[in-house]
Amino acid sequence: MTDSLNFSLSEEHKSIKEAARDFAQTVLLPGVIERDIACSFPKEEVKKLGELGFLGMMVDPQYGGSGLDTLSYVIAMEEIAKVDASVAVVMSVNNSLVCYGLDKYGSPEQKEKYLKPLASGEIIGAFCLSEPEAGSDATSQRTSAEDKGDFYLVNGIKNWITNGNSASVYLVIAQTHAELRHKGINALIVEKGQEGFLVGKKEDKLGIRASDTHSLNFNDVKVPKDRRIGEDGFGFKFAMSTLNGGRIGIAAQALGIAAGAYELALKYSKERKAFGKPISEHQAIQFKLAEMHAKIQAARWMVYKAAWDKDQGNSYIESAAMAKWYASEVAMWATTEAVQIHGGYGYVREYHVERMMRDAKITQIYEGTSEIQKLVIAREILKL
């Protein structure tokens, strides 16, 4: 027998959960529908999120962060995503991709200059990997970073960039030595406002409409060598390592969307009456709620396990991919069921679940589709 399993949250984790839930309910909820309709970036809400320490949760306090563990992060992410998935994805990118990448691989000088304001929420960042012909295939980068001695000259286009116009710092993955393929890729820090760096059109999206997603154009952008992360050719490993952690954040976002829709469906089922009694007393609805609850709880433990693996220093490639795949599938299914439970009301904006159903779809797409997660899992279990 072993006593190493503990399914209870610590008092600190409970406090973080309560703080995140309170923020979501009091600050995010009042304007979430209006922001979705207008595709309005939640600038003030994100600023307040940063002031509470939720934008650099796992970064050491010496660099402006909260110094918390990954489990704290996913607990907070779930509560934010229950109400506003657009704010959750801003939080996810800043924590899981930008801050994590700089914290783990950045130089002391890069951490001092960029990580501090990012982790404290003074500014936010963007992670720039996807391209028109290189989404999940990170080895096929067309964006180039030509070595000019003491600087790189960057040219190319990046697509689907979250925080595309709102960020101040961009981590850009670009090809320097094309003949070396993935071993010739670099990760560079680009600042907003640099000559030749232009923010392209804003995408009009199905879901997470309040987050700003843009294409980015790089036209002879000069990036000093001291803004390269790691050694020459380290960019591919940097991107893959960062994305592994990013999957945990997306899994937590998907979990939150599913759990938020379930909570609304549960509440509605107790209020809505049909045939003389609340619909929660009809077996058909009970079956739906029971299955939603069970699948969401299973997703939650998978997300927690991935976070725990990361905190323990274990390999979390498999557990993160499993959590991301399963939680995103549950999010799409549970939000659809929540709309069904609401009936006609589920199809209108004021009941929120139609927005959650639209938001859920993206969790099956970014950080790699469900099929890609299955490939990652297969490679781990087959030792390929």
Side-chain angles (χ1 to χ4, degrees):
M1 298 292 289
T2 176
D3 59 358
S4 62
L5 291 177
N6 185 351
F7 292 98
S8 299
L9 296 180
S10 68
E11 290 304 315
E12 182 180 34
H13 288 138
K14 290 177 183 177
S15 295
I16 291 166
K17 182 181 180 69
E18 183 178 346
R21 187 176 183 85
D22 180 68
F23 177 83
Q25 295 294 326
T26 59
V27 177
L28 298 181
L29 184 58
V32 64
I33 293 175
E34 289 73 19
R35 291 191 298 272
D36 175 74
I37 294 171
C39 299
S40 175
F41 183 79
K43 183 177 180 179
E44 291 304 313
E45 290 79 6
V46 170
K47 181 180 178 182
K48 292 176 182 177
L49 194 69
E51 291 170 354
L52 290 173
F54 285 123
L55 291 181
M57 293 187 69
M58 297 168 286
V59 177
D60 192 292
Q62 71 169 314
Y63 291 116
S66 300
L68 298 169
D69 59 11
T70 312
L71 182 55
S72 299
Y73 165 57
V74 300
I75 288 169
M77 271 289 296
E78 178 183 349
E79 294 303 323
I80 299 300
K82 281 181 181 180
V83 173
D84 192 337
S86 292
V87 171
V89 75
V90 175
M91 180 178 167
S92 175
V93 168
N94 208 71
N95 274 284
S96 296
L97 301 180
V98 182
C99 284
Y100 171 80
L102 286 170
D103 193 27
K104 187 171 178 65
Y105 299 110
S107 68
E109 294 77 18
Q110 289 169 349
K111 291 181 182 181
E112 188 68 30
K113 183 174 181 180
Y114 299 110
L115 183 57
K116 269 191 173 181
L118 285 163
S120 65
E122 181 182 333
I123 60 174
I124 59 174
F127 187 80
C128 308
L129 175 65
S130 296
E131 297 184 0
E133 296 182 19
S136 301
D137 181 11
T139 63
S140 300
Q141 296 292 303
R142 295 290 183 87
T143 297
S144 63
E146 186 180 355
D147 192 334
K148 291 293 187 179
D150 58 349
F151 67 89
Y152 291 100
L153 198 63
V154 179
N155 284 279
I157 298 172
K158 292 294 182 180
N159 274 15
W160 316 113
I161 305 304
T162 300
N163 303 339
N165 191 47
S166 301
S168 299
V169 174
Y170 301 76
L171 305 189
V172 180
I173 310 301
Q175 181 67 263
T176 299
H177 311 287
E179 71 280 5
L180 298 178
R181 290 183 57 77
H182 71 281
K183 293 183 179 180
I185 294 172
N186 280 309
L188 307 174
I189 302 170
V190 176
E191 298 176 2
K192 190 173 187 179
Q194 284 189 241
E195 186 176 356
F197 173 39
L198 301 173
V199 177
K201 70 166 186 172
K202 181 179 180 179
E203 304 294 347
D204 187 6
K205 308 187 300 290
L206 171 73
I208 56 167
R209 289 169 57 80
S211 70
D212 63 324
T213 305
H214 290 258
S215 59
L216 304 177
N217 298 279
F218 301 88
N219 303 300
D220 287 340
V221 179
K222 291 183 177 180
V223 181
K225 281 281 183 71
D226 62 6
R227 287 204 238 143
R228 184 186 70 207
I229 301 173
E231 297 299 317
D232 187 24
F234 181 67
F236 179 76
K237 289 185 177 179
F238 171 82
M240 292 302 98
S241 175
T242 304
L243 288 176
N244 283 333
R247 290 186 180 113
I248 299 176
I250 297 307
Q253 181 192 10
L255 170 63
I257 295 170
Y262 164 73
E263 289 181 4
L264 290 174
L266 182 65
K267 181 176 182 292
Y268 180 82
S269 74
K270 295 176 181 179
E271 298 170 348
R272 173 68 171 174
K273 290 185 177 181
F275 303 102
K277 58 184 179 181
I279 62 172
S280 61
E281 295 182 21
H282 293 284
Q283 194 176 67
I285 300 299
Q286 291 175 353
F287 283 175
K288 286 182 182 294
L289 292 170
E291 190 174 358
M292 290 170 75
H293 176 69
K295 288 184 176 179
I296 290 168
Q297 190 68 289
R300 182 173 292 114
W301 292 126
M302 292 180 77
V303 174
Y304 283 13
K305 174 59 165 57
W308 183 84
D309 279 339
K310 185 170 181 287
D311 288 333
Q312 295 300 309
N314 301 333
S315 172
Y316 56 91
I317 295 173
E318 179 185 327
S319 57
M322 287 171 60
K324 194 275 178 184
W325 164 64
Y326 187 71
S328 65
E329 295 293 304
V330 170
M332 194 70 251
W333 173 82
T335 54
T336 304
E337 289 293 270
V339 170
Q340 195 70 26
I341 289 171
H342 279 75
Y345 291 107
Y347 214 63
V348 297
R349 291 185 187 274
E350 67 179 288
Y351 285 81
H352 298 282
V353 288
E354 63 83 27
R355 184 187 76 254
M356 293 175 170
M357 184 174 70
R358 289 186 284 107
D359 289 344
K361 187 60 191 176
I362 193 62
T363 67
Q364 294 179 307
I365 298 173
Y366 52 27
E367 301 296 347
T369 63
S370 296
E371 289 72 23
I372 288 174
Q373 303 311 314
K374 292 174 187 177
L375 283 175
V376 172
I377 297 164
R379 287 170 183 165
E380 289 298 303
I381 62 178
L382 295 171
K383 309 300 180 187
L384 296 178

